[in-house]
Structures are given as C-alpha cells and as structure tokens.
Amino acid sequence: MPTPPLAGSTTGPAALRPLIDTVLTALHDGAHRRDGPLPAGGPDAVTPRMRTATHPVIPDHGTGPHDALRTLVSALAEGAADPADPLCAAHLHTPPLALAAAADLAACALNPSMDSWDQAPAASALEADITTALATEIYPDQPSPDALVTTGGTEANQLALLLARERNGPVQTICAANAHHSITRAAWLLGLPAPVVIPAPTGVMDLAALDEALTELHRPLLVTATAGTTDTGQIDPLADIADLCTTHGAELHIDAAYGGPLLFSPTHRGKVHGLDRAHSVTLDLHKLGWQPASAGILATPDRTHLDALHHRASYLSADDDTEAGLPDLLGRSLRTTRRPDALKIAVTLKALGRTGLADLIDHTVATAHHLADLIAKTPTLDLYDRPTISTVLFRPTDADDNTVATIRRTLLIRGHAVLGRAHTNNRLWLKATLLNPHTTPDDLHTLLDLVNHLAHDLTEGSTPDDRPAHP
C-alpha cells in the first residue's frame, strides 16, 4: 500500500497551481490594507504587526500551506515598500516586470542549480547564450566577449577587482569621490591597497586629477569609472577616461550598474559612449532592466579574461566528464549553488525585444525630465540639475538640511511617499529615483504637493502631525 504524502510536502510544478492562487489573493489583500507606497507608522508599527503574523516562527504543529501563505504573504505585502507605487521613488528599486516575476517562479519550481551540468542541462545552455549576447551588446567589435551572472553590482565590482588582481598582481585602484561604496569594500576584501579617491567636484570624475594620479602612482593601476552614480545618476566622461588609461597604461573598469542598459536605447546610448573600451563592465538589470532581484552582470571583452575563476571539484566537474564534453560551470562564479537568474532576463529580452526595452527606458527618462521641469517651475522648490538618467534631486527653497531630512522621514513614517536623500554641493537634497514606467504627471504633482505642504508646516513652526493625513 503506498505511503500517503506528508502534509504540506508535495513538491514539483504540479503542486503550484492552487498555491499560486493563494499567493495572489494574499498579495492583493495585504496591499489593500496598506494605503500608500509604504506602511504607515514606521518601525514601531510595522515590526509588531509582522511579528504577530509570524509567531510562533517554528510552531510545534504546522498550520498548513494555504494558511501559512495567506498569513505571511499578506502581512509582508501590507508591510512592504511597494516599488510599483509611483510615489515609491527613493532608490534604484524597480517594480519588476510581471513576465520576469513569472519566469522567476518557473526557475524556483524547476530549481536548476548552476554549479554542474547534470543539475542544469538546459539552464546552463540558456545562461551561456544570454551572457554572450549581453557581453556582445557592450563589446560589439570583439570576437569573443563573455559575461557572468552575479547577485548584483556589488558582486560584479568585486569580481572585476579580483580579475584585475589576477591579471596584474596587487593593483592600485583609482576611483572618484562619486564611486559606489562597493569599490572600497572590494579592495578591502581582496587585500588590495585602499583606493586612491580623486575629486568629483561637478559630480563626475575630474579628468585633470585623474591624469595627475595616473602620472604619479606606481603601476599596476586600475581606474574604476561610474556610469550612473547612486546619488545623482551622473555618468563619468567614459571616453576621456579611457583615453587617459590608454596613455598611462592603466586598466579600466566601468561600474554601469545603473546606466548600462541605456545601450538598448538609440536615443540615450550615446551617454555611455566608451563603455566598450573597459577591461570589464558591471550591469545590474534589477535596476534599469526591471528584473526581480537579483540580476547582475559582469562583462569582459574576451572570455579568457575569466580564466582565473576556473576551479575544479571532482564531484561536480571531473576532468574526464569535461573532456567528454560536459560543460564545467564552476568557473562561472565564485559561488557554487546559484539560481538560474538568466531565465527571467532571457524571457524579458525575448518578450520585449530591443524596441520594447528602449520604450521603457525612454519613457522613464522622459518622466524624470518632466519632474525636473515641474520643480524648475515651482518657486518654492530648488532643482539640483537636469537628470542624466532618471534621478532628480530637489529641495524646498530656503530650507535647512534638518528640514529636508525631517520632510523625508515624515513622508516615510506616514507612508505617503518614499524619497531618498543625497548630500552634494554641501547641501542635503531629496532624491527621486524614477524607475516606474507607469508614473503619470498627476503622480509627480502629488509628490511635489506632499513635499511643499510639509515644508510649509515646518517653516511655520507647526509639527507635521498637525496636518491631515493627505494634503
């Protein structure tokens, strides 16, 4: 007599359909209980509510799959920062495309493990094609470009420094003050000298200071430029930097985690001219590629640049298996077990094509420019600069930094809007990072109205809580 399955232990794709319905209902119910892009009340309200839903975390007797999903997914949705809400605009945190999220579910259900071919026969072939195609976008004139899938920009930057070290020995990294913090952290992790940080007085790398540093420092040298900074979204002068690197015999890595996908837009790809001259390039498609995290990429102009990552574990990639034609996947990452993140990227590229991605990018950049226009026309607000990609910095006119910080926190605690903060030009600015292609002009007006009302209250000396919940 067959043994009945254990309660809640059914596995495989066939068991998903009723559970998916439960998840979708829970997502809807939880989001409906949250009136805005963020739960109101701050940590003091969100944490107890989530703990109530999870308690006990490990019960003696389980509640069953549907109850567990309803309870926890709805609580998570109620307490989420919702990137699909147009007023959730603080970070490089995109609303993922529904088709990419669906592909990610398929990856979870099939669960290929990308550390040996016998765990991921089709997924390994798919990943090889996708990484080659993305590398070719960056290096169209190279005969054999290649790329790795990473967890994001931080891992990609770390791998870039590691590969430069393996090619050249203990490289001295040079970056500008606008560089992502992961560059300094990567140097520390790899036992490299701390990066030499040169000025970025206008928000981008200062070329004269770079020339001076390249002249004075001992080789080997690795310059790390940025195409899309986290504070302002600006792009370093990539071609000019590449020229200086060539003159001085330095290598170049470009962190294009944010701005790299501009390559897909005929309108905006000129902003990343020079990307193909780098020894390595970071992309992060869970930013301006609308993928569920994670979807990072490290691209190189030649696949042999990745040889230093080759590694052998006989139980996963025995020599005779490799010689017989089974792909060795361990050289595709420093990780062993890893998800088939290439699937959601592949589905997105196939579904949208170049023109579809370009439309999303162009519309998003245009929305950022529209927000900048509105700010420039509003006498009570100051605009930092025109956006390079989709990041817009602004602040109430004549407000001090404390007022700017208080406005941001009040919007967060009330759950009305999620704005970031950036300190540049010796002032604190509100940061709107627009990555939602469905944001409307009305949404932008609402955002600015919220800021203006709070600024007025604080300037007049009343506390933010004196006003009604909405302007």
Side-chain angles (χ1 to χ4, degrees):
M1 183 176 181
T3 303
L6 298 175
S9 66
T10 306
T11 60
L16 282 174
R17 189 179 301 275
L19 298 177
I20 290 172
D21 291 339
T22 300
V23 166
L24 293 176
T25 300
L27 285 171
H28 177 271
D29 291 347
H32 186 72
R33 294 197 296 270
R34 172 180 31 79
D35 185 22
L38 201 72
D44 290 344
V46 175
T47 302
R49 191 161 56 237
M50 194 68 214
R51 284 178 176 164
T52 298
T54 58
H55 183 77
V57 175
I58 308 177
D60 290 334
H61 303 285
T63 61
H66 292 279
D67 179 79
L69 284 169
R70 275 193 301 268
T71 302
L72 296 184
V73 173
S74 63
L76 196 67
E78 181 181 1
D82 182 6
D85 190 300
L87 300 187
C88 189
H91 304 287
L92 290 162
H93 181 200
T94 55
L97 294 168
L99 66 95
D104 217 24
L105 173 63
C108 290
L110 294 169
N111 204 29
S113 184
M114 304 298 296
D115 51 316
S116 67
W117 183 87
D118 58 356
Q119 298 176 86
S124 62
L126 175 67
E127 182 181 89
D129 287 348
I130 287 298
T131 50
T132 299
L134 290 172
T136 302
E137 289 295 316
I138 297 170
Y139 300 106
D141 298 323
Q142 297 297 326
S144 57
D146 202 354
L148 304 175
V149 178
T150 71
T151 53
T154 293
E155 184 190 355
N157 286 337
Q158 290 171 355
L159 283 171
L161 267 65
L162 170 64
L163 293 171
R165 186 193 71 180
E166 295 305 294
R167 285 193 299 270
N168 304 294
V171 294
Q172 173 63 67
T173 303
I174 305 171
C175 65
N178 63 1
H180 193 261
H181 64 85
S182 61
I183 300 298
T184 298
R185 191 170 180 84
W188 168 69
L189 283 168
L190 295 167
L192 296 173
V196 172
V197 180
I198 62 176
T202 63
V204 297
M205 184 180 288
D206 184 272
L207 292 173
L210 176 61
D211 191 18
E212 182 179 354
L214 288 170
T215 301
E216 295 180 353
L217 292 170
H218 296 294
R219 285 157 183 72
L221 301 174
L222 174 69
V223 176
T224 63
T226 306
T229 63
T230 53
D231 275 351
T232 64
Q234 290 173 272
I235 297 173
D236 285 336
L238 304 179
D240 292 334
I241 292 169
D243 286 343
L244 286 173
C245 289
T246 299
T247 298
H248 291 279
E251 290 198 354
L252 173 62
H253 168 65
I254 299 177
D255 177 2
Y258 180 11
L262 294 175
L263 281 172
F264 288 103
S265 166
T267 303
H268 296 290
R269 67 164 61 107
K271 295 177 180 178
V272 290
H273 174 66
L275 210 60
D276 61 328
R277 297 178 61 187
H279 290 76
S280 54
V281 174
T282 289
L283 294 183
D284 205 346
L285 295 173
H286 56 254
K287 294 181 172 63
L288 202 65
W290 294 279
Q291 298 299 292
S294 55
I297 298 290
L298 177 71
T300 62
D302 193 290
R303 63 171 58 98
T304 61
H305 288 191
L306 304 175
D307 286 350
L309 298 178
H310 287 177
H311 177 65
R312 185 73 68 200
S314 60
Y315 77 101
L316 293 172
S317 53
D319 288 339
D320 56 324
D321 281 346
T322 303
E323 291 167 2
L326 298 184
D328 176 6
L329 304 185
L330 287 180
R332 306 297 298 175
S333 176
L334 290 180
R335 294 171 285 151
T336 303
T337 302
R338 55 189 182 88
R339 304 178 72 252
D341 286 317
L343 175 61
K344 60 197 174 193
I345 299 171
V347 168
T348 299
L349 293 173
K350 189 171 185 65
L352 300 184
R354 296 178 188 276
T355 56
L357 278 172
D359 286 346
L360 286 175
I361 291 166
D362 293 349
H363 185 78
T364 300
V365 175
T367 301
H369 279 273
H370 184 61
L371 176 60
D373 290 339
L374 291 177
I375 293 167
K377 294 174 183 176
T378 304
T380 55
L381 297 173
D382 291 340
L383 176 68
Y384 172 73
D385 202 355
R386 305 295 303 177
T388 302
I389 307 177
S390 65
T391 299
V392 182
L393 302 189
F394 68 103
R395 53 181 285 139
T397 302
D398 299 327
D400 58 23
D401 286 358
N402 181 64
T403 299
V404 173
T406 301
I407 288 171
R408 175 181 174 272
R409 281 193 297 271
T410 303
L411 291 173
L412 291 177
I413 298 303
R414 288 183 172 181
H416 289 171
V418 190
L419 288 171
R421 54 188 287 164
H423 199 274
T424 187
N425 277 12
N426 297 315
R427 306 176 80 189
L428 185 66
W429 300 81
L430 297 170
K431 179 175 70 171
T433 308
L434 300 182
L435 289 171
N436 188 335
H438 298 293
T439 299
T440 68
D442 285 344
D443 296 323
L444 301 178
H445 281 287
T446 298
L447 179 63
L448 298 185
D449 285 345
L450 286 165
V451 171
N452 270 324
H453 280 296
L454 279 176
H456 176 269
D457 283 352
L458 292 167
T459 302
E460 294 298 312
S462 60
T463 63
D465 289 335
D466 290 339
R467 287 194 59 82
H470 292 278

